[in-house]
């Protein structure tokens, strides 16, 4: 179940790069996006993530795998 209080209307942008087979995640929110190790996604420049990595949107209750 998604914790709606921590998720913004436009929380992030996720782009899949087919050539590199990676994701590029940009945070547009107040509450943030975090990798599973607790590292926050860079809101200014975004972060490149590998397939299979998990991200938490707002908090750990909202985790998603990038497949």
């Amino acid at each position: 179940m998604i914790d709606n209080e921590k998720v913004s209307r436009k929380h992030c942008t996720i782009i899949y790069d087919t050539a590199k087979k990676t994701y590029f995640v940009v945070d547009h929110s107040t509450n943030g996006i975090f990798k599973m190790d607790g590292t926050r996604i860079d809101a200014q420049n975004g972060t490149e993530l590998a397939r299979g990595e998990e991200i938490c949107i707002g908090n750990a209750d909202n985790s998603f795998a990038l497949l």
Side-chain angles (χ1 to χ4, degrees):
M1 176 176 216
I2 294 178
D3 180 359
N4 292 326
E5 292 180 13
K6 299 289 182 182
V7 179
S8 302
R9 206 170 265 163
K10 182 176 179 183
H11 201 94
C12 65
T13 301
I14 301 173
I15 301 166
Y16 182 67
D17 184 331
T18 55
K20 294 166 103 177
K21 296 184 178 172
T22 59
Y23 289 90
F24 189 73
V25 180
V26 180
D27 181 9
H28 305 293
S29 72
T30 301
N31 293 313
I33 301 174
F34 301 87
K35 293 170 58 174
M36 292 306 285
D37 67 3
T39 305
R40 188 171 182 153
I41 300 295
D42 185 346
Q44 296 291 336
N45 302 309
T47 301
E48 186 175 58
L49 300 172
R51 289 181 66 188
E53 285 196 65
E54 290 185 51
I55 57 173
C56 299
I57 296 178
N59 63 26
D61 293 333
N62 305 312
S63 63
F64 300 90
L66 302 172
L67 301 175

